[in-house]
Amino acid sequence: MSTLRKLRRLVLRDGVSVREASRRLGISRNTASKWLSEPEMREPKYPKRVKVVSVLGPFEETLARWLKADQHRNKRERRGIKAMFEALRAMGYGGSRGPVYRFAQQWRLEQDHNARGAGFVPLSFELGEAFQAYAHEVTAFFMDELMRHGVTTALCFATAHPESVDVFMAEAQQRRLRMVTGKVLQDRHSPDGLRDSDTALSLRQTEDLIRRWHGVDRLGYATTPRFAPTSSPEQLHGAGEIAQQFPDVWIQSHVAENLDEIRWVKELFPEARSYLDVYDRAGLLRQRSVYAHCIYLDEADRCRMAEVGATAAVSPTSNLFLGSGFFDYTASDAASLRYGLASDVGGGTSFSPFRTMHAAYTVARQSVGHPGISLAPEHLWWQHTAGAAAALDLDGKVGNLLPGCEADFVVLNPKATPLLARRTAQTETLAEWLFAMIVLGDERLIAHTVVQGQLSHSDMAQNH
């Protein structure tokens, strides 16, 4: 029944007042009076409204998911609408801030309204919602730990889930860090839930993530096969094609970490000359390719890596903890192989550059299969600063204080502990002073972490 017919029935037949009929039907009293004064019962026609599609529309679901994830985080760790706006822009949003802020405000009003009538705490969450909350919490903790240890640039593995990259990049962007990461590729010999069930999809996801994040602010993408045994030849060669398509994107994986792994690779890839050759055949060995461990390389492997500009990520705490073996500094230097220090916190034992340098010194001293050497303190510091930057093809951007470099640095307190204060006070040379901090230092040495000329959030919070 039309609104006009209902109005006439209420007023003319049932004797309801115009005011009351207007209230019941949700129309103004003036409109009701005008309709009733018409000699003929004709429903007024209005021009059809043209539906306006919001430029934010395709991103509303993502923004709502981020806002919901923020609810599960403490106030200091929340991303803020500005950071979400920047992340949406990186994903292709072309609108202004206004729609993002209005959507967030309306979303929060609705959540607040719903919360007022809800007298319970949810005991379960949707899978995606729970993942987002967990991913943001873990990633925020990880990055805060990096900064607490004085690390502002890192090459990291995400998980096999593309969402983990989105979360990682957004958190790094919020903190203005220079970070490189990538979705792990592994389509075999991996647990359910971590294995790519669709190889072609995993490669498409990699391409999408590169287009979304690589080169945005200080962020970079790394094509990331976990290691050769967990990727099929199809996935490895697909990753190599992506590496060729995007030559400024990094490549990262593991190679020659232990003898059992090498035997397994030989069984899976009998046509390859060596473990490293598996990656080379797939097109995954070039400038900006970084391979962790590199313990059991032969001379041909080292020379090949040096020839193409590939880099070894020396992971001494992990190698010592797992009993994998010892990186051969002498042979690597002889082949002009580039290398830098890595914490490998998945298998390593500390975020601390000082603990890592100490472990590297210990590894180099071992005379197992080759003569041991003593690494100079200056060389160890170089491996974790300018050397690591060069290994990542970022020399001239980070890693030192030369003019033109980005203003990421740490302020050290050599009196952070009584023992450090005593030992550093007795040093007579720069080398002695640097070595004392390598042997006795940890995160307490880091008085301040500065990112692009500004104190990190944790430092600012302590100062206030």
Side-chain angles (χ1 to χ4, degrees):
M1 185 182 293
S2 69
T3 304
L4 177 56
R5 191 180 297 275
K6 291 177 183 176
L7 174 65
R8 292 177 69 88
R9 176 172 290 186
L10 285 171
V11 175
L12 302 179
R13 191 190 75 175
D14 300 339
V16 176
S17 68
V18 175
R19 181 175 183 176
E20 176 61 19
S22 302
R23 186 189 68 77
R24 292 185 189 181
L25 296 173
I27 59 177
S28 72
R29 205 177 346 162
N30 289 340
T31 298
S33 298
K34 181 179 178 181
W35 286 4
L36 291 169
S37 65
E38 295 287 340
E40 296 182 21
M41 192 174 73
R42 227 174 348 190
E43 186 87 40
K45 292 184 179 180
Y46 300 97
K48 203 170 190 180
R49 292 186 179 180
V50 178
K51 186 176 180 182
V52 179
V53 179
S54 169
V55 68
L56 184 62
F59 304 93
E60 287 181 354
E61 184 179 345
T62 298
L63 181 54
R65 193 167 65 246
W66 289 350
L67 290 165
K68 186 172 281 189
D70 252 13
Q71 288 183 316
H72 305 294
R73 305 169 69 195
N74 64 54
K75 190 172 182 180
R76 188 179 70 82
E77 293 177 343
R78 289 178 185 169
R79 301 172 66 190
I81 305 305
K82 182 179 178 182
M84 293 184 188
F85 167 69
E86 295 297 339
L88 288 176
R89 285 184 61 192
M91 294 172 64
Y93 171 64
S96 64
R97 291 184 185 180
V100 178
Y101 278 76
R102 286 192 293 273
F103 179 90
Q105 184 180 35
Q106 182 61 35
W107 186 89
R108 285 168 175 165
L109 284 173
E110 291 174 2
Q111 297 300 306
D112 184 59
H113 175 75
N114 294 338
R116 291 177 191 275
F120 66 93
V121 176
L123 298 179
S124 63
F125 301 91
E126 293 295 325
L127 181 60
E129 177 185 341
F131 173 82
Q132 286 287 330
Y134 175 77
H136 276 289
E137 189 274 327
V138 169
T139 307
F141 176 82
F142 175 78
M143 291 191 180
D144 288 346
E145 279 295 287
L146 285 179
M147 289 193 292
R148 193 167 69 86
H149 287 80
V151 178
T152 62
T153 296
L155 173 66
C156 307
F157 281 66
T159 74
H161 313 96
E163 296 87 350
S164 68
V165 177
D166 289 330
V167 171
F168 185 97
M169 295 296 200
E171 292 287 350
Q173 188 178 45
Q174 182 182 351
R175 290 164 175 77
R176 310 185 315 281
L177 298 175
R178 181 170 282 286
M179 289 285 152
V180 182
T181 193
K183 169 196 144 40
V184 169
L185 295 168
Q186 49 183 16
D187 63 354
R188 64 174 180 173
H189 305 307
S190 306
D192 292 342
L194 296 177
R195 184 176 61 254
D196 293 315
S197 57
D198 186 328
T199 300
L201 176 61
S202 72
L203 297 171
R204 288 198 302 272
Q205 289 171 335
T206 296
E207 289 189 47
D208 290 343
L209 289 166
I210 290 171
R211 292 190 173 95
R212 185 180 308 158
W213 291 111
H214 185 67
V216 175
D217 294 336
R218 305 181 76 200
L219 307 175
Y221 194 87
T223 302
T224 309
R226 180 189 167 201
F227 69 139
T230 53
S231 284
S232 64
E234 293 76 20
Q235 190 175 54
L236 286 174
H237 284 272
E241 290 172 6
I242 292 173
Q244 185 176 9
Q245 182 182 355
F246 300 97
D248 62 333
V249 162
W250 282 265
I251 300 166
Q252 63 174 341
S253 192
H254 302 79
V255 69
E257 181 178 2
N258 62 66
L259 297 174
D260 287 339
E261 186 178 294
I262 291 172
R263 282 190 286 269
W264 190 21
V265 170
K266 186 65 178 175
E267 293 172 4
L268 294 172
F269 301 93
E271 71 285 354
R273 188 197 69 80
S274 67
Y275 191 163
L276 183 75
D277 190 46
V278 174
Y279 297 116
D280 202 358
R281 286 168 172 262
L284 292 168
L285 201 63
R286 60 159 169 77
Q287 186 88 4
R288 288 200 169 187
S289 60
V290 181
Y291 286 92
H293 308 298
C294 298
I295 296 173
Y296 298 100
L297 300 179
D298 59 22
E299 183 181 358
D301 287 334
R302 294 188 185 93
C303 289
R304 177 59 180 158
M305 288 185 70
E307 177 188 355
V308 300
T311 294
V314 185
S315 309
T317 65
S318 171
N319 300 152
L320 289 170
F321 181 70
L322 298 176
S324 304
F326 307 106
F327 182 78
D328 192 335
Y329 279 97
T330 302
S332 297
D333 288 337
S336 300
L337 171 61
R338 292 198 307 183
Y339 53 79
L341 283 180
S343 58
D344 187 23
V345 291
T349 56
S350 177
F351 283 82
S352 173
F354 303 100
R355 297 278 176 85
T356 306
M357 288 188 282
H358 190 186
Y361 181 83
T362 303
V363 163
R365 290 281 293 173
Q366 306 307 308
S367 55
V368 179
H370 53 80
I373 60 172
S374 292
L375 296 177
E378 300 92 331
H379 185 55
L380 287 164
W381 280 73
W382 175 85
Q383 285 185 61
H384 231 310
T385 52
L392 289 176
D393 200 27
L394 291 173
D395 41 336
K397 291 188 176 180
V398 294
N400 58 49
L401 299 177
L402 291 175
C405 288
E406 297 166 354
D408 286 10
F409 55 89
V410 293
V411 179
L412 301 176
N413 175 17
K415 299 179 181 179
T417 68
L419 183 56
L420 256 175
R422 180 181 178 87
R423 183 66 187 90
T424 54
Q426 296 174 354
T427 58
E428 297 180 357
T429 65
L430 175 62
E432 288 181 12
W433 190 69
L434 293 174
F435 193 63
M437 287 189 281
I438 290 173
V439 175
L440 301 176
D442 56 28
E443 66 272 20
R444 290 171 292 181
L445 255 173
I446 308 297
H448 301 291
T449 300
V450 178
V451 181
Q452 290 195 299
Q454 298 180 14
L455 288 177
S456 69
H457 295 306
S458 56
D459 280 337
M460 288 189 288
Q462 290 174 6
N463 290 343
H464 288 301

